Amino acid sequence: MPYTERVDLDAAGSIGITIDADGVLVDDVSAAPGWQIVAQHPKAGLLRRRVKPSPSAVVVLTRSGPDGHEERELEVGQLDDGSWELAVRRQAPCPSNGSITTPGGTVTVPSATSSARASSAPVVQVEPADGWGVRSREEGPDDIVVVFAWGEEEWEVVVLLDDDAPPVADVDHRRQLGHLT
């Protein structure tokens, strides 16, 4: 029996996937208004309506809005041990209050990046959600990386710091789907 799931990409839309013994197929990509599909693999061609399943799938959607460039990416792949993993990444400018909230926890960075970077690394507040722990935390002059974990599920928050631009939040949600076939 194949595994099917419809993955929600926040306000960007949703993607349907099917995993069976032959690999993974992207069944349907529904981009929300204002979002564009910039990459999709595997993808049906004009001459070939049926797509051969692949050991991995990637779909990328983007938009340029009033707050800047935003991106959502879904990746599904088979790991070396034969199990499957699903990852959803979202990238966008940091909120003006500096707080990036995920179901795994919250990372808050100072909103004044120029003064924060002048002191090498900003003072970061990290607060895991109930039941979640902090698997790792790294702070440097160019980025901040915090990984919240609960069992095999992870939320990774990366804040990219740049002297010439506002900070960018890159949030990855990874979860193990297990051995499906």
Side-chain angles (χ1 to χ4, degrees):
M1 191 79 183
Y3 172 85
T4 60
E5 182 175 345
R6 183 123 203 116
V7 182
D8 182 33
L9 299 178
D10 300 325
S14 62
I15 299 170
I17 60 168
T18 298
I19 300 171
D20 63 17
D22 296 322
V24 61
L25 282 174
V26 176
D27 296 326
D28 173 48
V29 179
S30 298
W35 287 84
Q36 295 182 325
I37 302 166
V38 294
Q40 180 178 338
H41 169 78
K43 182 178 179 180
L46 293 175
L47 299 176
R48 193 172 38 135
R49 296 284 179 211
R50 180 115 172 97
V51 179
K52 182 179 177 196
S54 174
S56 65
V58 176
V59 178
V60 180
L61 299 117
T62 64
R63 79 170 175 181
S64 292
D67 297 328
H69 180 77
E70 292 184 65
E71 188 171 292
R72 301 290 187 274
E73 178 179 346
L74 171 128
E75 184 173 3
V76 180
Q78 194 166 24
L79 304 176
D80 291 342
D81 68 358
S83 67
W84 289 85
E85 182 178 68
L86 178 116
V88 176
R89 183 178 68 84
R90 69 180 196 246
Q91 186 177 68
C94 277
S96 58
N97 66 3
S99 183
I100 302 130
T101 301
T102 73
T106 301
V107 176
T108 305
V109 296
S111 56
T113 56
S114 57
S115 62
R117 282 188 49 106
S119 65
S120 79
V123 176
V124 178
Q125 295 177 0
V126 175
E127 190 171 322
D130 287 343
W132 290 77
V134 176
R135 181 165 287 162
S136 64
R137 175 179 174 161
E138 299 173 24
E139 298 177 36
D142 298 325
D143 62 7
I144 299 156
V145 181
V146 178
V147 178
F148 298 107
W150 181 46
E152 295 294 318
E153 188 173 0
E154 290 184 347
W155 283 91
E156 178 184 65
V157 177
V158 178
V159 180
L160 304 171
L161 305 171
D162 187 338
D163 288 329
D164 302 322
V168 172
D170 191 28
V171 178
D172 288 333
H173 177 216
R174 285 185 294 278
R175 63 185 164 96
Q176 303 299 314
L177 300 178
H179 291 81
L180 302 174
T181 55

